[in-house]
Amino acid sequence: KAGVTQTPRYLIKTRGQQVTLSCSPISGHRSVSWYQQTPGQGLQFLFEYFSETQRNKGNFPGRFSGRQFSNSRSEMNVSTLELGDSALYLCASSTGASGANVLTFGAGSRLTVL
Amino acid sequence: QKEVEQNSGPLSVPEGAIASLNCTYSDRVSQSFFWYRQYSGKSPELIMSIYSNGDKEDGRFTAQLNKASQYVSLLIRDSQPSDSATYLCAVFTGGGNKLTFGTGTQLKVEL
């Protein structure tokens, strides 16, 4: 079956712009999580959505937001981009039950902010 | 103190040797533990999950968990050059599906 699909795969933006990233989870998966990966900080948890509700949120500023649609697809948005937002943004899906679920990652969206 | 700690490496082992990767975590109530492998330029892929104390084996991989010591390890037997990658230890902390990652250990398997 199809894996986790993220679009776009690569994008370049300038400071001050905003960006929207999309994630389609594995069919039947209801939980979608977002992570930011940078060389200095590693993988950092952004937020998790389950059944269209944000269930968990990491320590990121309010410029980072997300949402989930009724078909479990998710989007994340970063407004007023800063140079430090350059990173690989990873989406992961799981069936949704708390705690013990395996997360399957998409290929990621690589954002470069100039 | 970081929630999940790993030695960044690189850890170099000769082909055919056993590679031992270690991870410690700070949250005593953590229940689920995972090892992910990430090749350069790729996304993390799950290698092993472990939920109870002891060893869990899958092919050349063995995960070990000691909750009393808050310690998780991954052994790779008969290491191959294709095992060269960054290995990420991950722990479920908090509610929902929040996964906290270590910064990863870079493994290099040399011919």
Side-chain angles (χ1 to χ4, degrees), chain A residues 102-103 105, chain B residues 33-37 44-49:
Chain A
V102 170
L103 300 188
F105 284 88
Chain B
F33 307 86
F34 303 85
W35 284 99
Y36 282 82
R37 177 177 62 198
E45 57 177 330
L46 181 73
I47 302 175
M48 294 283 289
S49 59

Side-chain angles (χ1 to χ4, degrees), chain A residues 28-107:
Chain A
H29 284 191
R30 297 168 63 193
S31 169
V32 173
S33 302
W34 289 90
Y35 291 81
Q36 181 196 64
Q37 187 172 34
T38 58
Q41 298 295 319
L43 271 157
Q44 302 284 309
F45 174 79
L46 281 157
F47 27 66
E48 183 220 355
Y49 288 87
F50 176 75
S51 294
E52 303 178 66
T53 300
Q54 187 180 84
R55 187 159 65 174
N56 250 310
K57 189 177 189 306
N59 296 324
F60 279 82
R63 300 186 296 108
F64 292 81
S65 63
R67 58 178 175 168
Q68 187 179 34
F69 302 95
S70 58
N71 62 357
S72 295
R73 190 178 71 84
S74 177
E75 289 180 348
M76 68 162 283
N77 184 277
V78 188
S79 63
T80 318
L81 285 166
E82 301 176 359
L83 294 178
D85 297 333
S86 294
L88 179 66
Y89 289 88
L90 291 160
C91 164
S93 77
S94 71
T95 56
S98 276
N101 273 276
V102 170
L103 300 188
T104 301
F105 284 88

